[in-house]
Amino acid sequence: MRVLGVNALFHDPAAALVVDGRAVAAAEEERFSRRKHGKRPLPFSAWELPEMSAAWCLSQAGLRPEDLDAVTYSYDPALARPADRLGLSDPWDDLRQTYAREAPAFLCEALPGLAPEQVRFVPHHMAHAASSAFAAPGAERSSVLVLDGRGEATSHLAARREGARLEALHGQELPHSLGLFYEELTEHLGFLRSSDEYKVMALAAYGNPRRFLPELRRYVYATGDGGFRAAGVPWAELCAARRDGEGWTPEQADLAAAAQACLEETVLDLVRWLHGQTGDEVLTMAGGVALNCVANSRLAAEGPFRQVWVQPASGDAGTALGGALLHAADADPGTPTRPQPGVDLGRGWSDAELEGWLKTAAVPFERPADVAVEVARALAENAVVAWFQGRAEYGPRALGHRSLLAHPGPSGNLERLNDIKGREQFRPVAPMVLAERASEIFAGPLPSPYMLFVHEVLPPWRERIPAVVHVDGTARVQTVDREAEPLVARMLEAFEAATGLPVVVNTSLNTAGRPMVDDPRDALECFGSSPVDLLALGPFVVRRRALFGAGAG
């Protein structure tokens, strides 16, 4: 069974290929087009398809469109209703629905050889749910929670997986939406809606929720029947809007903190209701709200489920994988879907190909005996390193394949990295640590391989690794499994041998407003245009001083 999943309608267009129940390739269109999120979530862009990522997925498996058993599209226009009947202000939504209905014809144009009858519409939230329930390890019998901005007519799905079957239990109809609630706040605070919600989460740590929480609770709360209310918040009456480019005020940070707390309370109530229906031990999550790692940690700590697993590509990009997995499970229940093997499902290059890129670029490069040891040595000397290894990550987190690395000891490295990336200074960076060492330094849900939870940094370590400690004493940890990531593990061990610190700063290899680096050209362009000291491209290294002269860096 060969199924290509496609997400296209709103934002984060992506493609994923599932062969005999196993994810073999997945990539977001932004990594090819170099447009952040692939496109803006406007009705006028709804026709755009992830043509480049779909073509790459097929080529990765040596397939042609006519070799596919099905192509899934993670939205079902038959379930949609006019926006005004849903209480939404979206006057051009009928255009979006027209594009959705015509998706089979568009896909046949983009993938010559594909027949229209091979295209299957998959309900948006069912695709989200499948992306977590069928991809999570040990989740053959599990509960599923999906929360995002909107699907066809709902913003939420509570469901249950049992074997190859995924059953919907409850969905919250629009306009009530926790995702839209957070998007509205993002826009009110001067950030880009449907893009910068993680900035609001970071800003919330600087505020006190008590000032605005009672008022927000009037508009956002669980209803006790598996649903919730979240609409009509009078943001402008609560505090002044922030204009883009302005600094933030304590009042705005307090509003962010209250909204974050209100979100956590509501999601926790939804999780408790779901557990009461199923009694399961495992909860899997997806949807854009599931990328809120602060809320995830509270669910893990206070919720009734023994284990919480979050899809690393929880945003709409993940529905490409979920749609393909759901169809595979439905069409061939005798072939079980297999857990996601990791996030490194994107493009990769051989050592010979990488060397060819470097020679074409005419840059001075070396091949050290062990690139992991060489990078650790540079990090110990307080260099900032661009780390490009293996296949690219699927999802928004850099997890040791397209990363920017630094020493966690100097507190100034947070400001330094935010300057390099062109980011706001209130935003934190993350630590990576070997899985077996994590509990010595961090308290929280462990292991945490996908950087989807926050952890308390234990007091003895806060002064030793200040660059990765957020203002509230937490860090968004990535734990590294030495069997899955032997090169990263070797680098961490060599860095500890040189510094006594088992932690390295890991943030995404990109600059503000641009997608994560994906191919070698992207890596060379990023390295050449920002003050990064060393580029580790596969087994090769490029030094800034060698490239730009002794005055560089």
Side-chain angles (χ1 to χ4, degrees):
M1 174 67 65
R2 300 163 173 174
V3 186
L4 179 71
V6 167
N7 170 64
L9 196 67
F10 292 112
H11 51 80
D12 296 304
L17 182 65
V18 171
V19 177
D20 295 332
R22 181 174 66 91
V24 298
E28 295 160 77
E29 191 73 359
E30 68 164 22
R31 309 295 168 85
F32 297 81
S33 69
R34 309 309 299 160
R35 294 164 62 195
K36 188 72 171 174
H37 295 295
K39 61 181 180 180
R40 293 296 297 149
L42 302 171
F44 308 100
S45 68
W47 63 272
E48 296 183 45
L49 296 171
E51 295 186 38
M52 289 181 282
S53 50
W56 173 79
C57 284
L58 293 179
S59 68
Q60 178 71 9
L63 298 176
R64 299 168 300 175
E66 53 265 38
D67 298 325
L68 295 168
D69 295 292
V71 173
T72 60
Y73 185 85
S74 53
Y75 186 89
D76 187 349
L79 301 177
R81 299 202 300 275
D84 56 354
R85 285 176 51 194
L86 294 170
L88 299 175
S89 177
D90 193 353
W92 289 97
D93 190 57
D94 59 330
L95 181 62
R96 179 185 284 118
Q97 304 306 326
T98 298
Y99 287 144
R101 288 190 294 271
E102 296 299 325
F106 292 161
L107 284 163
C108 289
E109 289 287 333
L111 300 169
L114 181 71
E117 59 269 19
Q118 290 177 283
V119 178
R120 304 285 193 275
F121 290 118
V122 176
H124 185 72
H125 290 118
M126 287 295 282
H128 268 310
S131 79
S132 61
F134 289 125
E140 292 78 11
R141 188 185 180 103
S142 57
S143 300
V144 194
L145 182 67
V146 173
L147 290 160
D148 66 359
R150 62 174 290 195
E152 294 87 356
T154 60
S155 67
H156 147 269
L157 175 67
R160 187 168 194 243
R161 176 196 173 185
E162 190 157 7
R165 186 165 177 263
L166 188 61
E167 178 189 5
L169 300 178
H170 189 71
Q172 175 59 55
E173 289 204 351
L174 293 163
H176 300 286
S177 169
L178 291 173
L180 294 181
F181 160 72
Y182 218 84
E183 285 184 21
E184 290 170 3
L185 175 60
T186 299
E187 186 173 47
H188 185 70
L189 294 180
F191 302 117
L192 183 61
R193 182 174 181 155
S194 295
S195 175
D196 291 349
E197 283 70 26
Y198 56 91
K199 297 182 183 181
V200 175
M201 184 181 68
L203 181 62
Y206 290 83
N208 188 320
R210 286 180 295 181
R211 181 176 183 179
F212 295 111
L213 189 54
E215 182 68 12
L216 285 181
R217 284 173 175 156
R218 294 177 53 200
Y219 299 93
V220 181
Y221 55 90
T223 51
D225 58 358
F228 56 89
R229 295 291 175 266
V233 179
W235 299 108
E237 297 176 15
L238 297 176
C239 83
R242 187 186 76 91
R243 295 180 181 176
D244 187 24
E246 290 182 343
W248 53 272
T249 66
E251 183 181 50
Q252 290 161 348
D254 288 348
L255 183 60
Q260 176 67 34
C262 199
L263 175 81
E264 293 169 18
E265 291 175 353
T266 306
V267 176
L268 191 55
D269 284 343
L270 295 176
V271 165
R272 287 169 175 154
W273 178 88
L274 178 55
H275 185 264
Q277 302 301 304
T278 68
D280 292 327
E281 293 191 343
V282 177
L283 172 70
T284 71
M285 296 175 64
V289 175
L291 291 172
N292 191 305
C293 54
V294 178
N296 293 346
S297 292
R298 186 167 177 188
L299 294 185
E302 300 179 32
F305 289 92
R306 177 183 58 80
Q307 180 185 347
V308 178
W309 190 90
V310 182
Q311 165 56 242
S314 273
D316 275 6
T319 64
L321 175 61
L325 287 170
L326 183 62
H327 180 79
D330 286 344
D332 187 13
T335 301
T337 55
R338 285 180 265 179
Q340 187 172 324
V343 294
D344 52 336
L345 295 169
R347 289 190 288 178
W349 285 263
S350 68
D351 292 353
E353 288 171 326
L354 293 174
E355 186 173 13
W357 280 89
L358 291 167
K359 288 179 176 178
T360 299
V363 297
F365 66 92
E366 310 162 25
R367 183 167 188 163
D370 187 334
V371 71
V373 172
E374 190 64 30
V375 164
R377 182 183 299 117
L379 291 171
E381 295 171 357
N382 206 26
V384 173
V385 176
W387 175 264
F388 183 106
Q389 303 293 335
R391 293 177 64 176
E393 295 95 341
Y394 177 51
R397 305 282 192 249
L399 297 166
H401 294 259
R402 304 290 186 269
S403 292
L404 199 61
L405 309 178
H407 195 308
S411 59
N413 275 350
L414 172 58
E415 181 177 355
R416 181 184 177 193
L417 287 167
N418 280 333
D419 283 343
I420 288 172
K421 290 167 66 72
R423 306 192 323 172
E424 299 87 352
Q425 287 299 338
F426 65 80
R427 292 173 56 188
V429 291
M432 56 165 39
V433 60
L434 284 170
E436 63 265 29
R437 303 294 306 279
S439 62
E440 303 171 27
I441 308 160
F442 306 102
L446 296 170
S448 180
Y450 300 132
M451 212 184 282
L452 288 164
F453 299 89
V454 295
H455 301 74
E456 178 191 0
V457 183
L458 297 178
W461 287 92
R462 292 180 186 176
E463 293 184 1
R464 298 186 66 188
I465 53 172
V468 298
V469 182
H470 198 30
V471 67
D472 58 358
T474 66
R476 191 181 65 200
V477 175
Q478 178 199 354
T479 56
V480 175
D481 183 309
R482 63 175 63 251
E483 291 187 11
E485 299 286 353
L487 187 68
V488 176
R490 200 158 67 246
M491 180 270 295
L492 288 168
E493 289 176 325
F495 181 75
E496 182 178 15
T499 66
L501 298 176
V503 171
V504 165
V505 176
N506 172 28
T507 187
S508 57
L509 182 51
N510 67 328
T511 52
R514 296 183 180 180
M516 220 180 334
V517 158
D518 193 75
D519 74 12
R521 178 185 284 110
D522 304 332
L524 287 162
E525 289 177 351
C526 186
F527 177 68
S529 63
S530 56
V532 175
D533 301 297
L534 186 78
L535 168 63
L537 192 76
F540 308 102
V541 298
V542 182
R543 301 181 191 277
R544 189 167 192 81
R545 288 180 179 273
L547 184 59
F548 295 107

